[in-house]
Amino acid sequence: THTHSLSFCSLSRTAPMPPKKKKDQVLVVFTAAAGAPQLKDEKRRVRVSASQELRTVITYLKKLLNVKESIFVYTNQLSPSMDQKLGQLTELYGTVSSQGKRLNLHYSLTPTWG
């Protein structure tokens, strides 16, 4: 499986830079829900700095999907706040192991879960 690394200093469209250390990274895995367009396998996984906010990942996901309107993102059927840090979300809803941190995010173009 392929993974991409990205780290945004801001929400600008600058070129992404990989996080500095693996322990500071979260592997985010995107899964389509409720009829949303599927991402190609090589685009479904991205490594992001744990200090980044969810809004950064949503901006990236919207770019991948070429979506201008709202997108709904869920983890464990809950819709987290846009300003939550990915590291915190991973500790609450993801998995942390010797292999690293992983956060599964489901996305849809319509409200799906509460």
Side-chain angles (χ1 to χ4, degrees):
T1 54
H2 299 277
T3 61
H4 297 276
S5 292
L6 75 116
S7 176
F8 291 94
C9 296
S10 67
L11 293 178
S12 67
R13 296 196 182 245
T14 59
M17 297 176 57
K20 293 177 182 158
K21 299 176 187 169
K22 188 168 183 172
K23 71 176 185 133
D24 297 331
Q25 298 176 8
V26 174
L27 175 63
V28 177
V29 181
F30 299 117
T31 304
Q38 297 283 337
L39 289 171
K40 293 181 180 178
D41 283 343
E42 64 270 10
K43 302 283 186 184
R44 288 189 59 231
R45 300 169 184 267
V46 62
R47 289 199 182 277
V48 184
S49 170
S51 64
Q52 292 296 314
E53 293 180 349
L54 179 62
R55 79 178 74 247
T56 304
V57 173
I58 292 173
T59 300
Y60 177 72
L61 179 60
K62 286 173 75 170
K63 183 179 172 187
L64 286 177
L65 294 170
N66 197 23
V67 171
K68 305 265 187 265
E69 63 271 1
S70 295
I71 191 165
F72 300 87
V73 175
Y74 303 92
T75 182
N76 289 4
Q77 299 183 351
L78 300 172
S79 182
S81 171
M82 297 272 284
D83 63 351
Q84 277 194 282
K85 304 284 186 196
L86 293 172
Q88 181 185 28
L89 285 172
T90 303
E91 289 175 16
L92 294 171
Y93 305 111
T95 56
V96 179
S97 69
S98 60
Q99 306 261 313
K101 300 174 185 176
R102 178 184 170 131
L103 180 65
N104 294 319
L105 292 178
H106 292 81
Y107 62 91
S108 66
L109 302 180
T110 59
T112 306
W113 294 293

